[in-house]
């Protein structure tokens, strides 16, 4: 009986450990599948936006989602770090559901509903971030305080874990606070009409259809024709590395980089906050500058004279540090000579869309007294963002390149086929528009995780040893009894 009891105890410990381990593995696999529902592939670009219509141009079927951060409020209860997802009816096919959220309706997951103590029919408020197309930490990005929007919604549905309630692309077991709203409402209120930053796809591997079908606007790019010049621009102001590579590979391409410098000075004369363009093919050495007539008169500077330029450099730490660089005046250009540059100048939100210099709102510190400079205000009234000076592209990139890019546009003399050539050269995957097999990755993470059965066996090792020792001692005791 003693041997039998010891053997039973050891077997029970082994079996229990393996069962508990298998149960944990099964729970992890279930959670991984619940947070994805029917989603097999996802393309997520948190800090960049693309056209919602891109999802319709992907083989295999997909849906576009606008995913933003926010907070939820109800009857004095406030939950921060809420994942707000704007989708259409296609989104719910991944949960096996068929319903549509109207403009004033929202669906909450069980965790968020419990935290707010709300149920179907109750009202909740959502305060949602309002991101710009240009990242907030980028040079010359708008820093306006109204970076959130608020809406009041009626709770239409409480989503269980099996109804995308746990939806998340992060490979962890923490259930997020999820709030789902209509994508159209979210687009309009955040100023991101027709934009998304997440595409979800089902079982078939999605692929971008050929370049003859997608267009640059799908990736936030556009071609503009002004004064016989065709210019490629980005909604995010700076051109990414793959966009710049594809554009510069087209014959006749010329890159430009536009920046707002702190001041341009000559001797005792100075003018604050001026746009300067760095341009390839300007026949300038890196220490030479071309200035327009207004600036030449303001600084009393002429050909052969010296001017200094003060500007902010964006450091890797995210701080701005002021630098100074000196140039020799190569030419003075009359105002109509820079007319084309005014029409092609980048449009910086919060900067080029205001009427007065004092209303400028950009991402680096500005001196209020300099913003009120009367002569500079007169220039802005008449010429807006027309550059006051031009330097070589190499010099401009040495001064103003940053992690967001080193070009604000690429230009060609007017000609046919440029957009077609760009579509043939541009690789969406190389630009970060790539689908990840999120379902496969989630299951692989579970399979490659620690073997919990072996873990619990190891943790119970002392019980197994104790059972074996008990069996051995009882066996020895039994032998001794028989011998006596």
């Amino acid at each position: 009986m003693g041997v039998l009891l010891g053997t039973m105890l050891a077997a029970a410990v082994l079996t229990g450990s393996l069962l508990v381990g298998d149960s944990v593995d099964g729970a992890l696999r279930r959670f991984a599948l619940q947070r994805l529902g029917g989603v097999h592939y996802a393309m997520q670009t948190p800090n960049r936006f693309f056209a919602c219509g891109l999802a319709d141009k992907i083989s295999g079927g997909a849906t576009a989602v606008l995913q933003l951060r926010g907070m939820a409020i109800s009857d004095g209860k406030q939950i921060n770090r809420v994942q707000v997802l704007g989708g259409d009816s296609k989104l719910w096919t991944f949960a096996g559901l068929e319903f549509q959220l109207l403009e004033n309706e929202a669906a909450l997951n069980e965790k968020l509903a419990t935290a707010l103590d709300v149920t179907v029919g109750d009202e909740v408020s959502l305060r949602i971030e309002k991101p710009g197309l240009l990242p907030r930490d980028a040079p010359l990005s708008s820093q306006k305080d109204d970076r959130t929007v608020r809406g009041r919604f009626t709770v239409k549905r409480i989503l269980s874990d099996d109804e995308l309630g746990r939806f998340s692309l992060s490979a962890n077991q923490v259930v997020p606070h999820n709030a789902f709203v209509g994508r159209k409402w979210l687009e309009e209120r955040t100023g991101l009409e027709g934009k998304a930053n997440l595409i979800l796809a089902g079982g078939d591997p999605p692929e971008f259809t050929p370049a003859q079908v997608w267009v640059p606007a799908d990736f936030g790019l556009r071609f503009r024709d002004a004064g016989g010049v065709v210019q490629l621009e980005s909604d995010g102001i700076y051109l990414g590395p793959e966009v710049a590579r594809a554009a510069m590979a087209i014959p006749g391409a010329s890159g430009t980089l536009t920046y707002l410098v702190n001041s341009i000075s000559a001797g005792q004369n100075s003018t604050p906050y001026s746009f300067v363009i760095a341009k390839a093919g300007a026949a300038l050495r890196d220490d030479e500058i071309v200035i327009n007539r207004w600036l030449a008169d303001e600084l009393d500077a002429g050909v052969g004279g010296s001017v200094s330029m003060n500007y902010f450099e964006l450091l890797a730490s995210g701080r701005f540090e002021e630098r100074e660089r000196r140039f020799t005046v190569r030419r003075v250009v009359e105002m109509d000579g820079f007319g084309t540059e005014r029409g092609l100048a980048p449009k910086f939100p919060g900067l080029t869309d205001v009427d007065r210099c004092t209303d400028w709102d950009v991402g680096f510190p500005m001196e209020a007294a300099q913003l009120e400079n009367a002569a500079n205000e007169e220039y802005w009234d008449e010429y807006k963002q027309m550059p006051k000076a031009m330097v070589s592209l190499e010099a401009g990139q040495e001064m103003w390149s940053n992690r967001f890019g080193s070009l604000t546009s690429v230009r060609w003399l007017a000609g046919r086929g440029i957009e077609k050539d760009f579509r043939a050269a541009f690789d969406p995957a190389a630009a970060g528009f790539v689908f990840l097999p999120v379902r496969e990755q989630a299951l692989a993470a579970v399979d490659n995780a620690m073997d919990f059965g072996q873990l619990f066996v190891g943790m119970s090792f002392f019980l197994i040893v104790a059972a074996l020792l008990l069996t051995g001692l009882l066996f020895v005791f039994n032998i001794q009894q028989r011998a006596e």
Side-chain angles (χ1 to χ4, degrees):
M1 287 298 297
V3 173
L4 179 60
L5 289 174
T7 303
M8 290 175 59
L9 178 58
V13 172
L14 283 169
T15 304
S17 298
L18 294 174
L19 287 174
V20 171
D22 186 66
S23 176
V24 172
D25 289 337
L28 292 177
R29 183 176 297 273
R30 185 175 70 257
F31 294 155
L33 295 177
Q34 283 179 331
R35 68 178 176 85
L36 294 174
V39 176
H40 287 242
Y41 298 88
M43 183 182 80
Q44 186 179 37
T45 57
N47 298 317
R48 291 184 296 169
F49 299 91
F50 46 80
C52 291
L54 186 61
D56 299 326
K57 301 178 181 180
I58 295 171
S59 61
T63 185
V65 177
L66 184 56
Q67 181 182 28
L68 301 174
R69 295 188 297 266
M71 65 175 63
I73 306 167
S74 179
D75 293 334
K77 297 182 177 65
Q78 177 175 307
I79 304 300
N80 300 321
R81 301 177 63 85
V82 174
Q83 181 176 238
V84 181
L85 299 122
D88 55 19
S89 59
K90 292 181 181 178
L91 174 62
W92 304 112
T93 61
F94 296 109
L97 302 175
E98 292 185 7
F99 74 96
Q100 180 74 40
L101 291 172
L102 301 180
E103 184 176 292
N104 62 339
E105 294 178 335
L108 311 182
N109 70 348
E110 291 178 341
K111 181 175 181 179
L112 181 57
T114 300
L116 294 175
D117 192 21
V118 296
T119 186
V120 173
D122 291 342
E123 289 191 343
V124 297
S125 293
L126 295 176
R127 184 174 291 279
I128 306 164
E129 69 169 353
K130 184 181 178 182
L133 297 176
L134 181 63
R136 194 168 186 177
D137 54 344
L140 307 186
S141 66
S142 175
Q143 300 295 304
K144 292 180 180 178
D145 292 332
D146 57 337
R147 300 305 295 267
T148 62
V149 296
R150 185 167 179 167
R152 192 162 185 82
F153 302 88
T154 299
V155 179
K156 181 176 183 178
R157 191 181 186 106
I158 306 297
L159 300 170
S160 68
D161 289 350
D162 293 321
E163 298 174 326
L164 283 186
R166 296 179 66 101
F167 177 78
S168 173
L169 296 180
S170 300
N172 61 59
Q173 306 310 316
V174 178
V175 181
H177 293 102
N178 284 338
F180 298 83
V181 298
R183 194 184 68 209
K184 292 294 184 182
W185 179 92
L186 191 58
E187 291 174 15
E188 293 172 358
R189 294 299 300 271
T190 57
L192 296 170
E193 290 88 347
K195 300 292 184 181
N197 54 3
L198 173 64
I199 292 181
L200 304 177
D204 297 329
E207 293 181 354
F208 288 108
T209 47
Q212 288 77 9
V213 177
W214 64 256
V215 295
D218 290 332
F219 300 103
L221 306 170
R222 62 184 176 274
F223 284 86
R224 188 152 58 100
D225 193 336
V229 176
V230 176
Q231 178 168 281
L232 173 64
E233 305 170 337
S234 169
D235 289 343
I237 307 299
Y238 294 95
L239 303 182
E242 173 58 18
V243 175
R245 182 206 63 77
M248 294 300 293
I250 300 172
S254 174
T256 71
L257 176 60
T258 300
Y259 200 73
L260 183 72
V261 301
N262 297 349
S263 65
I264 303 175
S265 308
Q268 300 300 314
N269 301 319
S270 179
T271 184
Y273 301 122
S274 306
F275 280 102
V276 179
I277 184 172
K279 187 176 178 182
L284 293 172
R285 297 199 311 264
D286 292 350
D287 62 347
E288 293 180 331
I289 191 171
V290 174
I291 60 176
N292 66 16
R293 173 57 62 187
W294 185 94
L295 184 59
D297 293 344
E298 186 73 12
L299 301 181
D300 192 21
V303 175
S306 177
V307 299
S308 62
M309 184 186 299
N310 288 71
Y311 61 93
F312 276 125
E313 178 185 351
L314 178 62
L315 305 180
S317 62
R319 294 188 304 106
F320 287 99
E321 191 166 299
E322 192 169 34
R323 307 286 192 207
E324 181 179 358
R325 185 161 175 162
R326 301 194 68 82
F327 296 89
T328 300
V329 178
R330 174 71 178 271
R331 292 191 307 275
V332 176
V333 177
E334 299 304 321
M335 297 307 292
D336 57 1
F338 270 17
T340 301
E341 297 301 340
R342 176 179 179 176
L344 292 174
K347 294 175 173 56
F348 294 94
L351 186 59
T352 58
D353 56 356
V354 298
D355 295 328
R356 296 177 52 81
C357 297
T358 51
D359 296 327
W360 283 353
D361 172 48
V362 296
F364 53 67
M366 307 185 82
E367 297 182 16
Q370 297 295 336
L371 289 173
E372 297 174 355
N373 181 276
N376 208 40
E377 190 69 55
E378 291 178 4
Y379 183 94
W380 184 255
D381 289 341
E382 185 169 357
Y383 302 108
K384 291 298 181 183
Q385 64 265 33
M386 179 192 293
K388 295 178 183 177
M390 178 171 61
V391 298
S392 70
L393 181 61
E394 291 75 12
Q397 289 178 330
E398 287 177 9
M399 294 185 288
W400 310 321
S401 290
N402 54 76
R403 64 178 179 273
F404 300 97
S406 59
L407 293 175
T408 50
S409 73
V410 176
R411 299 174 179 176
W412 300 263
L413 294 178
R416 296 182 178 179
I418 293 175
E419 185 172 338
K420 179 180 179 182
D421 292 341
F422 176 78
R423 292 202 306 264
F426 178 67
D427 181 6
F433 298 100
V434 60
F435 281 91
L436 298 178
V438 290
R439 188 183 185 90
E440 179 182 324
Q441 291 176 344
L443 295 177
V446 174
D447 292 337
N448 295 329
M450 179 180 293
D451 188 331
F452 285 94
Q454 296 298 325
L455 174 64
F456 284 111
V457 168
M459 294 174 63
S460 305
F461 184 72
F462 71 96
L463 291 176
I464 298 172
V465 172
L468 293 175
L469 288 174
L470 175 61
T471 302
L473 288 174
L474 290 173
F475 182 75
V476 171
F477 178 76
N478 186 48
I479 295 297
Q480 290 178 342
Q481 290 291 344
R482 287 177 177 275
E484 292 176 359

